[in-house]
Amino acid sequence: MTHGVSFAATPDGRRSTTRAGRTIVADALRSVDPAGALGAEQETAWRSRYLLHFRRLVEAGVARPDDWHAIADAGLEAVHRTLVVAGPDGPDGGDRPLGSLTTAPAQAALQTLEVKGLGAAEAELRLPYRGRTLHGRDLVGQLAEWVRRGVMEPSAADAVGRVADHPEWLRLDGRTVVALGAGAEMGPLGPLLRWGATVAAVDLPRPALWERVAATARAGAGRLLLPVRDGADGADSGDEAVRGAGADLLAEVPEVADWLTGLDGDLVLGNYLYADGGTHVRVAAAADVLAVRLAAARPDAALAFLATPTDAFAVPHEAVEHSTRAYRERSATAKVVGRPLRWASRGRLLHRAYPPDADPGINDSIVPVQGPNYALAKRIQRWRATAARRDGRLVSFHVAPSTRTRSVVKSRALAAAFAGAHRFGVEVFEPDTANTLMAALLVHDLSTEQPRHDHPWQDEAYAAVHGGLWRAAYEPPAARSGSRRRWGTRASAAEGAQSATAARCRCGGPKSRPRAWARLSTSWASCSQVMAIPPWSWTHSAAWWAAASSA
């Protein structure tokens, strides 16, 4: 049974995520790209072919800034029009428009529980990395190495370097950073509290989570503000008080908004929420309504987002040049094995990432198995960042690297894929390195005047830490396979015009072929369905690559 922010019910009572996703993407495209909108609206295999439509959301807006803004505005309007606040007794019990939450009164009051850090604030920027703690010249040297290898954009290294030069920025005096999804491993809560900042934490009312968060706060040097129910003591009185903290954003947007509005300091609303499946879209929509409501009540409020690198982005020509150079200078072994591997994978693998003269390039690293709900939830955040920045609001938005968080490495396939990522020039980060690095970028954005760019896609690309996905030599295999029919899917009308043999092959039907070739081609054809992040989503394992590279 659903509650709070949810998808609209169909006539038979189901709440379809597919229907909502198609509608929102189509409405976002309609004014700029009518043909693309029609394609999304009439897509009959949304869960397997959504990649094409999310890439089109980027391509359609690249030509003109006004088009980019129009897509963002229309997309946000569609989200607020398509999603609802579920009634207590199902769709017949009175579903309300999502927009009603912008003015709905709170049903209860949340109080503030403060947890103070007992440690000393770190006096300089220190970055944990592979068993070491980097600071000073070592930190500067590592930033330069990441830039050289194409792991981050040069603007990201410059920004982190400025924070290292100004440790007095780390405390963020006068600001209160709101961490939606306070327990997230990628969130900035831990680093900010070590630096002595004030953090207001919002997450579900789960006692174990809040005990862990409170322990992090006490070990730090900052102030942690927690939402608790009316009547709770405002002072930290131990674990029992902390265990009662939390709020369900899906059902308590007005309550959380009123609580945040009453906090001291210039607010920074940071969205670090994650959930599985359609719930991710629901919490993204709830956070967006919260942002709208908070902006109306607190004109000083800034917004902060972390984007995933496994999405479609317009990237600067410098990244295209880096990728082109890496492709041109690849090893002799890579050149020799490239052609047979492309043949064995049926044209799916080891193609250059961009046309050499692309400006900007389009990097499509969307992972098919992450699903359309994940893509939509992250796109809602990008749209809000675009709209808010245009309207003059301070926005911190950065692409964060792929990271070995618990939710990722619990998959054996992902763990094996991550182990082989470095062979393609892609670095996968540990959580403590990633969250400290991204927290430093947040501090930079809140402490300096942000650069002005001619086009909104350049705002998204600024200071990106993509792990190397934008500058790798090869096109991500998922991008190429996403534009084709995959094993186990239906043949399209165009494919139906091909031979019956090819059609049977594409829909997974049996086909007579020599046994050795059948094993090879089936192995490569099925590999794109492994739950992994490009460009290594087709690797068998780290051990396989180690053996292959030493042969």
Side-chain angles (χ1 to χ4, degrees), residues 71-153:
I71 290 171
D73 290 340
L76 292 172
E77 290 174 5
V79 169
H80 286 236
R81 184 172 59 250
T82 303
L83 271 69
V84 299
V85 181
D89 302 314
D92 295 332
D95 285 359
R96 294 178 288 131
L98 179 64
S100 65
L101 290 179
T102 59
T103 57
Q107 300 302 308
L110 296 173
Q111 304 299 319
T112 301
L113 176 67
E114 181 176 339
V115 180
K116 292 184 178 180
L118 305 177
E122 294 183 0
E124 62 179 337
L125 178 60
R126 304 170 69 89
L127 181 69
Y129 184 63
R130 296 184 175 178
R132 303 168 57 204
T133 300
L134 305 179
H135 60 97
R137 296 176 64 179
D138 289 340
L139 174 59
V140 173
Q142 183 58 55
L143 292 171
E145 175 63 12
W146 277 328
V147 170
R148 184 190 68 80
R149 288 168 36 212
V151 172
M152 62 169 57
E153 293 304 292

Side-chain angles (χ1 to χ4, degrees), residues 348 486-487 519-530 537-538:
R348 190 172 292 170
R486 314 258 302 276
W487 292 76
R519 288 178 177 173
L520 177 62
S521 88
T522 301
S523 171
W524 286 108
S526 61
C527 62
S528 66
Q529 299 175 19
V530 175
S537 59
W538 48 276

Side-chain angles (χ1 to χ4, degrees), residues 85 157 204 317 364 444 531 539:
V85 181
L204 290 169
H317 185 60
D364 184 355
H444 173 269
M531 290 186 63
T539 59

